[in-house]
Amino acid sequence: MTTDEATKNEGEVQTAALAEQGEDITPNQDRGVLKIVKRPGHEDKSPMIGDKVYVHYKGKLANGKKFDSSRDRNEPFIFSLGKGQVIKAWDIGVATMKKGEICHLLCKPEYAYGSAGSIPKIPSNATLFFEIELLDFKGEDLFEDGGIIRRIKRKGEGYSNPNEGATVEIHLEGFCGGRMFDCRDVTFIVGEGEDHDIPIGIDKALEKMQREEYCILYLAPRYAFGEAGKPKFGIEANAELVYEVTLKSFEKAKESWEMDTKEKLEQAAIVKEKGTVYFKEGKYMQAVIQYGKIVSWLEMEYGLSERESKEAESFLLAAFLNLAMCYLKLREYIKAVECCDKALGLDQVNEKGLYRRGEARLLMNEFELAKYDFQKVLEVNPQNKAAKSQITVCQKKMKEHNERDRRIYANMFEKFAERDAKEASKAVGESETEKETCEKGLKTPVAEGKV
């Protein structure tokens, strides 16, 4: 029997076994995807929609011919489950697996590559066989900073999401250390959840959700109740929280292009006031949302009257300056500098803009640039005592930095000198040894009859 014949026989046996013994895991129970577990997993949990999953796999045609293998590449395959990044059979099959499990899947064409196939490896209307090992899975990192991890238990409807300012109706359950501290239906405006004792992480996540979606959200302290905690719920400072959230319905807020200039200016006054209230309460992320609305509405607004232009510029200047202050509090210094640059683009001698940019640069250890900003502040207002004090701080920091550099380089050069001295000493020693050997050789008489 040839190798090809053996492969064909093996493929036919595996296909027949799956067809006969495999479990139908399709939602419609149409036997489009059949599964046999070859090695059970070692955990109870399965991946959810949106999870990033890590697998090894081998793919064969029904005749046993291999068309692909991650093991041959010695590299796991990674994809997001339930997002249409892989064939339908995989989204269905991998969702049923446990970590560490190895399974076989038999996939009808309508759950694989259909009539189109994937030429040249997979012909039209091909039934496929896969061996899959689920190595690991993890929740979706919504903002790629580890702050909000989402795991979708039930996929939502349609493709529309709430936007900032949308009115949403949700059901939520909040947990801290396994203890449920909140359970209710609530209606509120996205970006203003704090007014209803809802952490900012929920506001942020809702903008990624669809109607009727049911998900689990893991919130880091920064996106939960932060350093303040929430005594009302018995939540201590810097606690990590878990929420189960269902988005029952929502009504989108007007987009910028749907508002006329008059409405934008009226709304700018309202959100500026809301932002200031949040800032005074130490809720800086919520304040950022409010001030950010002013920028999104007015930064690219054209064709204004002289009065409207002055009013818009005033709102934008205040928004950029306040955003800079928020970002300083949030320790996002690069963003603070960017907002100050925007403010100074509107008013190049703005005292607050120069001072706050100097603060951000000082905290980024950009001492020369910070000193320059504080000096500019004094040109605008020679009586600014805080700027004078900050210049002294900059000079002190620059001196400390230079002294530290001198010590580092001095130690570095000292080590280089020591190393060079050792190498030179070693070289001299080797030279002396060679010389002595040579002299001994010259003094030794040659034995008679030997050369």
Side-chain angles (χ1 to χ4, degrees), residues 39 62 74 141 147 152 176 190 247 313 422:
R39 186 185 75 190
N74 197 30
D141 189 345
I152 301 172
C176 181
V190 174
L247 176 56
E313 189 173 301
K422 285 179 182 177

Side-chain angles (χ1 to χ4, degrees), residues 193-226:
E194 178 60 38
D195 296 346
H196 300 266
D197 300 311
I198 295 170
I200 188 68
I202 304 294
D203 295 85
K204 295 282 189 183
L206 281 165
E207 293 184 53
K208 305 274 189 178
M209 293 177 66
Q210 295 159 343
R211 195 184 311 272
E212 291 301 329
E213 180 179 316
Y214 168 35
C215 69
I216 303 173
L217 299 172
Y218 299 85
L219 306 184
R222 184 167 180 261
Y223 289 96
F225 293 118

Side-chain angles (χ1 to χ4, degrees), residues 82-84 150 155-163 206-213 247 250 252 255:
K83 298 288 188 177
R150 174 174 68 171
K155 196 171 182 179
E157 302 170 355
Y159 299 96
S160 183
N161 313 97
N163 57 352
L206 281 165
E207 293 184 53
K208 305 274 189 178
M209 293 177 66
Q210 295 159 343
R211 195 184 311 272
E212 291 301 329
E213 180 179 316
L247 176 56
F250 67 90
K252 282 198 167 198
E255 299 289 357

